[in-house]
Amino acid sequence: MIHIKNLHKKFGDLHVLKGINEEVQQGEVVVVIGPSGSGKSTFLRCLNLLEQPTEGEIFFNGDNITDSHNDINKQREKMGMVFQQFNLFPHKTVLENITLAPIQVKGMTGTEAEEVAMGLLKRIGLVEKAKAYPKQLSGGQQQRIAIARALAMSPQVMLFDEPTSSLDPEMVGEVLDVMKELAAEGMTMVVVTHEMGFARQVGSRVLFMDEGLIVEQNTPQAIFNQPQHPRTKDFLGKIL
Ligand code: ADP
Ligand code: MG
């Protein structure tokens, strides 16, 4: 589904991504781990062109999305993204947060969009919060709404950038549960996370990134039990 060829990203003189080659198959849950500053967020942001790659190509279902003739907005619609900070619109209700893009970008009617939104709220167990404002919700609830908002666009792949890192510990589980359900339904996902339990349980593959490169990748089982690269061993030694 996603084919990344020789991806480089520089910010001025800072060479952040140094030649990433990777493929993501439909239905895979690819977990990305690695030290802070290794380029994990930049990698995800390049996938949906929130960052413009400096060099290299990204193909999505065979289309070269890094080609300047490509409609970036059309491509982005196919990829949902969930950030560490939930980024909900503070002055809009939960329902309005979820229906905004489907109405404005997809041209759905208000009624259609609300139907979709209520279905999603039901799925994540937050129907009763439809008229609430983000600040009236817990962090875990806000993040579940952010996931629902992304899903409302019917994306083909979901990108998660440390979705539980800013949550209080007791709220991590409810967000991971929504993500696990998505995975079980066959959603293609690329997930940057420090939740090694999630990686073990749900990940199809784990990529270890360091200094702008994918240094090692394998099944969760193999990477956690028999890491091969010294830097992977060192990193896992510090966090496990
Ligand atoms: P990670 O998510 O693994 O912690 P990031 O991709 O956020 O790493 O950052 C990798 C490096 O790129 C860091 O040194 C960071 O400071 C730098 N960086 C990220 N975004 C920008 C930007 N917009 N402008 C300049 N430097 C950036
Ligand atoms: Mg990051």
Side-chain angles (χ1 to χ4, degrees):
M1 178 178 264
I2 309 175
H3 189 168
I4 301 135
K5 281 187 179 173
N6 191 34
L7 174 64
H8 286 258
K9 178 65 187 179
K10 291 181 186 171
F11 294 106
D13 289 339
L14 188 65
H15 200 164
V16 175
L17 300 180
K18 298 176 181 166
I20 293 191
N21 294 288
E22 192 52 58
E23 283 185 33
V24 178
Q25 313 295 331
Q26 182 159 4
E28 266 196 310
V29 178
V30 176
V31 176
V32 183
I33 63 172
S36 180
S38 57
K40 304 180 299 296
S41 295
T42 304
F43 173 56
L44 269 198
R45 294 167 63 82
C46 281
L47 289 187
N48 70 351
L49 304 173
L50 283 178
E51 298 290 356
Q52 187 62 39
T54 309
E55 193 187 324
E57 291 169 315
I58 301 170
F59 294 85
F60 191 80
N61 290 330
D63 291 332
N64 182 354
I65 63 171
T66 37
D67 187 316
S68 55
H69 299 294
N70 220 297
D71 181 347
I72 290 181
N73 291 322
K74 267 275 163 288
Q75 294 299 338
R76 277 197 195 126
E77 281 174 39
K78 300 178 191 167
M79 301 185 235
M81 183 137 178
V82 175
F83 303 88
Q84 183 175 338
Q85 297 304 335
F86 331 121
N87 298 336
L88 295 175
F89 304 112
H91 303 298
K92 295 193 183 299
T93 65
V94 162
L95 196 60
E96 288 164 349
N97 264 279
I98 302 175
T99 56
L100 188 74
I103 293 171
Q104 292 197 345
V105 181
K106 283 216 154 163
M108 277 190 202
T109 65
T111 317
E112 279 170 342
E114 283 186 16
E115 218 165 275
V116 170
M118 292 310 288
L120 288 165
L121 285 174
K122 195 168 170 197
R123 235 165 100 185
I124 60 169
L126 289 174
V127 166
E128 76 281 5
K129 301 293 184 191
K131 302 286 183 206
Y133 286 88
K135 66 170 182 291
Q136 299 171 308
L137 306 178
S138 71
Q141 291 171 336
Q142 288 187 57
Q143 191 60 302
R144 283 148 68 199
I145 300 295
I147 296 172
R149 181 175 61 174
L151 291 174
M153 293 293 283
S154 307
Q156 294 178 29
V157 53
M158 285 285 285
L159 310 174
F160 292 88
D161 193 358
E162 300 200 31
T164 59
S165 293
S166 64
L167 297 176
D168 291 333
E170 74 271 23
M171 292 170 187
V172 170
E174 67 193 58
V175 172
L176 292 180
D177 284 346
V178 171
M179 293 169 63
K180 285 176 195 169
E181 269 174 43
L182 263 183
E185 289 163 13
M187 178 62 83
T188 309
M189 297 163 57
V190 182
V191 185
V192 176
T193 186
H194 300 296
E195 292 294 332
M196 297 303 147
F198 175 86
R200 272 180 192 274
Q201 199 186 334
V202 187
S204 328
R205 251 183 324 136
V206 176
L207 313 182
F208 171 68
M209 271 186 81
D210 195 22
E211 296 184 4
L213 284 169
I214 297 171
V215 172
E216 179 171 355
Q217 62 165 295
N218 216 324
T219 60
Q221 179 91 359
I223 212 153
F224 293 125
N225 297 346
Q226 289 117 23
Q228 299 298 312
H229 198 286
R231 284 193 270 167
T232 319
K233 290 181 189 174
D234 180 56
F235 175 74
L236 291 174
K238 283 176 186 150
I239 62 160
L240 291 179

